Amino acid sequence: MTLLPVDTDVLEDVCRDIAQDNYGFVYVADQKKELKSGYESADVGLLNARSLTASELREALTGMTADEFVDLDQLRDGVFYVDPFGVKGNMNITRELTNLFGQRLVVTGETLRSRFSLAIDDLDFFVDELAERDYVRRITAGKRDYYTIGPQLKEHADDVGLDSRLQSEASDGKIAHGDLESVIDVAATSDVIRYLDREGYIVDLDGEYLVEEAIDEYAQFLATEIEEAVENEFEGSSYVLRSGEFEQVVENEIDTRFDVLSKARTVRPEILEGARDTLTDRLGLEHGREMVEVVEPFRAVAEDHARRIRSEVKAETDQLPGTLPEWIELAEDHFEELQVSSTTAVNEHVRDAVRERYRSLVNEEEFGGMAE
């Protein structure tokens, strides 16, 4: 049977309305009454669209799928599909998925099929549609697939995403195997763990897992563990280290205690940077172009040396110098004698700081601040 153009338009509209409430699917056997009723009651002007028998209805829908201007696909006999997403997506599907993933972060295909009232034969097609639009992400685990929320839905999900939940459950940036299974609500098989690792959710540390969304927290934990050792390194070098030396000390101290840097190579730079940033805050460090200082103790070191040298200059001189440059000239040998490190650059940095403080000290106490 061939429908008139107006009949095709009406039937397409009816299918679209039904599909919109059924996540894109039209099951002729289940929705025959809705199709006939919607079609026969359609207002097309002075006359209603003519009646269709059940066989005519099925034949008409099949014929419409061949029309490139009709948005209707036939999945199999008696099952049709109208793309429900459109340009702006589909709020019904969005709402169902965000509600579902708000209860369970990882679900099976059967859970999705039940949630959307799909026929078994239509599950793979529908999941492919969801995955293609980033509504879900597929986790392939052996012969079975699992699904978690996709990036397209996260803006609607209020921290429902797997990464957010892992972060909230992590302790010091890590999560134990049993806790991981509780979060994802499925067995943490090797396939699932590989997926989570590959997709940037976790890093497998042999029995426990680094949560990538919690790297800052983990870096803070590492910094706390190595803080005393790093502080001792600074103390042994008059509270100043070359920038590269500071970075190497941090890396070495972490490697001495943990094997995370060798296992978490993909996030190694972020871990090291986070640990250095935390140590900078906790120890009160100041980063120059080439040197890193522990600010207050380093100032105290410069102050002590400057006062000592001033006292020595006064003790060695029968008549005190009359100008600030003369005071500095008499102290030069004392500056050069300063050796606080085996590194020339560090020694020069300390000498410059002591020289500057000595200059200010002499100006203040010998010339009342008027020499310059």
Side-chain angles (χ1 to χ4, degrees), residues 170-328:
S171 175
D172 291 330
K174 297 179 295 182
I175 190 168
H177 187 89
D179 294 331
L180 176 63
E181 290 188 333
S182 297
V183 168
I184 62 178
D185 204 26
V186 297
T189 65
S190 58
D191 294 302
V192 173
I193 291 170
R194 275 197 299 271
Y195 167 83
L196 296 175
D197 195 337
R198 184 178 68 250
E199 295 298 319
Y201 289 107
I202 62 172
V203 176
D204 189 354
L205 301 179
D206 293 336
E208 61 179 359
Y209 308 92
L210 172 62
V211 177
E212 293 204 20
E213 280 293 314
I215 282 180
D216 288 346
E217 183 182 347
Y218 184 64
Q220 291 168 10
F221 161 75
L222 292 178
T224 300
E225 294 295 305
I226 68 172
E227 180 179 351
E228 183 177 352
V230 174
E231 191 171 20
N232 288 339
E233 287 287 338
F234 273 108
E235 186 176 353
S237 188
S238 292
Y239 298 100
V240 59
L241 294 171
R242 289 176 300 156
S243 297
E245 186 178 1
F246 166 64
E247 293 176 1
Q248 192 62 56
V249 166
V250 171
E251 183 174 335
N252 290 346
E253 293 299 334
I254 292 175
D255 270 336
T256 298
R257 295 164 175 78
F258 309 96
D259 57 1
V260 64
L261 296 181
S262 62
K263 292 184 176 179
R265 294 187 179 278
T266 57
V267 292
R268 176 189 177 101
E270 290 89 339
I271 293 173
L272 289 171
E273 182 180 3
R276 292 194 297 265
D277 289 346
T278 300
L279 288 166
T280 294
D281 293 338
R282 294 175 69 93
L283 297 179
L285 305 182
E286 182 175 275
H287 295 259
R289 187 172 62 180
E290 297 179 355
M291 299 291 170
V292 181
E293 301 173 3
V294 189
V295 177
E296 293 304 324
F298 182 73
R299 287 176 181 170
V301 167
E303 179 76 20
D304 290 345
H305 283 303
R307 289 190 175 277
R308 175 183 58 78
I309 291 173
R310 171 174 165 270
S311 297
E312 291 175 356
V313 167
K314 293 179 73 171
E316 295 167 356
T317 306
D318 294 332
Q319 183 175 354
L320 295 179
T323 66
L324 183 56
E326 289 177 317
W327 276 91
I328 295 173

Side-chain angles (χ1 to χ4, degrees), residues 101-118:
F101 288 119
Q103 300 163 11
R104 302 176 64 183
L105 287 179
V106 178
V107 300
T108 63
E110 176 57 30
T111 301
L112 287 174
R113 190 191 72 78
S114 175
R115 188 78 175 202
F116 289 96
S117 302
L118 303 176

